[in-house]
Amino acid sequence: MEAYKEEFIEFMALSDVLKFGDFTLKSGRKAPFFMNAGSYVTGTQLRKLGQYYAKAIYEHYGADFDVLFGPAYKGIPLSVAATVAFSELYGKDIRYCSNRKEAKDHGDAGILLGSSLKDGDRVVIIEDVTTSGKSIDETVPILKAQGDVEIVGLIVSLNRMERGKGEQSALEEIKETYGFDAHAIVTMAEVIEHLYNHPYQGRIYIDDTMKQAIDAYYEQYGAK
């Protein structure tokens, strides 16, 4: 596993973004782990987060794209942080763009924040995590309505590796439905590999009991 991925796993746990316990997800599933990118709240955290995203974007998509699009609301700070980091790390000024939940009819009117989109733009979508793919179903029409843009791919923090609408993972379903790649900075398998019975700053996040709970969850909800 690449060093930045190991660092990112520890960063998620230390920032209390990736939690282990007993959670009820929006889908209604009972899960032993939960991730909330909204818990990144400090300047230092957002700076590091942007760098991890930028490294993963470069690894999977290179620098041959123009715009980083973050769907409202959580995608807005993600797109800003990653755009700044991409410029610093790879020397290319990409543009950031996000959408409003409701179109603005005065001043900077329209549905978009940040850069406008134009014909020929190559776009990477950035999100925190995708469980069902519903947000992408909403985002793709927004992007296509702006002009003849090409969606290069999607990048998320964590691939939960559980079933989406069918038997495949949400990321696999997105690729099958829309034809563009979908990747994560890390997968849940990599998280387990790195944290299982591995103390970090005096704490073991995934002990034998938690590992059993995670295994049971994947037996029921794991993607095929």
Side-chain angles (χ1 to χ4, degrees):
M1 192 189 318
E2 293 90 335
Y4 84 87
K5 291 186 176 184
E6 294 182 347
E7 293 172 6
F8 181 63
I9 292 168
E10 295 170 357
F11 173 65
M12 282 194 295
L14 188 62
S15 300
D16 208 27
V17 166
L18 181 59
K19 302 180 181 182
F20 299 93
D22 185 14
F23 306 96
T24 300
L25 306 181
K26 189 175 181 179
S27 63
R29 296 175 183 175
K30 302 286 187 179
F33 59 91
F34 178 72
M35 186 201 149
N36 177 21
S39 295
Y40 296 116
V41 294
T42 71
T44 299
Q45 288 174 333
L46 289 171
R47 181 175 181 273
K48 289 182 178 180
L49 180 63
Q51 291 172 346
Y52 291 127
Y53 264 113
K55 290 176 181 179
I57 290 168
Y58 189 79
E59 177 183 343
H60 293 293
Y61 303 117
D64 187 19
F65 67 100
D66 307 293
V67 180
L68 193 56
F69 183 87
Y73 288 104
K74 289 183 180 178
I76 297 173
L78 297 181
S79 62
V80 173
T83 298
V84 172
F86 203 90
S87 173
E88 291 176 343
L89 291 175
Y90 303 110
K92 180 175 180 180
D93 254 347
I94 56 172
R95 292 137 49 207
Y96 103 89
C97 180
S98 296
N99 65 296
R100 297 181 172 96
K101 288 289 187 180
E102 297 178 356
K104 187 178 177 184
D105 61 4
H106 61 281
D108 183 18
I111 197 171
L112 299 183
L113 296 168
S115 173
S116 59
L117 297 175
K118 60 182 185 295
D119 290 350
D121 276 341
R122 291 168 53 82
V123 181
V124 172
I125 303 170
I126 182 171
E127 287 202 305
D128 58 345
V129 66
T130 297
T131 303
S132 68
K134 180 181 178 182
S135 61
I136 297 301
D137 293 339
E138 297 171 350
T139 298
V140 169
I142 291 172
L143 294 174
K144 293 298 186 180
Q146 308 308 312
D148 184 18
V149 302
E150 177 186 351
I151 302 175
V152 176
L154 165 70
I155 191 77
V156 300
S157 288
L158 176 68
N159 181 354
R160 291 181 59 96
M161 300 176 61
E162 61 189 82
R163 296 198 306 270
K165 299 171 184 175
E167 296 298 311
Q168 295 179 308
S169 73
L171 295 186
E172 290 168 334
E173 288 176 349
I174 288 167
K175 183 174 182 179
E176 188 173 275
T177 301
Y178 294 107
F180 55 78
D181 285 338
H183 296 283
I185 301 177
V186 293
T187 67
M188 198 59 200
E190 290 171 326
V191 169
I192 296 167
E193 174 190 341
H194 188 61
L195 293 183
Y196 177 45
N197 280 340
H198 176 180
Y200 179 63
Q201 294 198 357
R203 178 179 174 184
I204 294 179
Y205 288 88
I206 303 178
D207 58 14
D208 290 338
T209 301
M210 180 53 61
K211 177 66 161 54
Q212 290 173 2
I214 293 173
D215 289 345
Y217 182 76
Y218 280 116
E219 285 179 11
Q220 185 172 7
Y221 297 116
K224 302 300 183 183

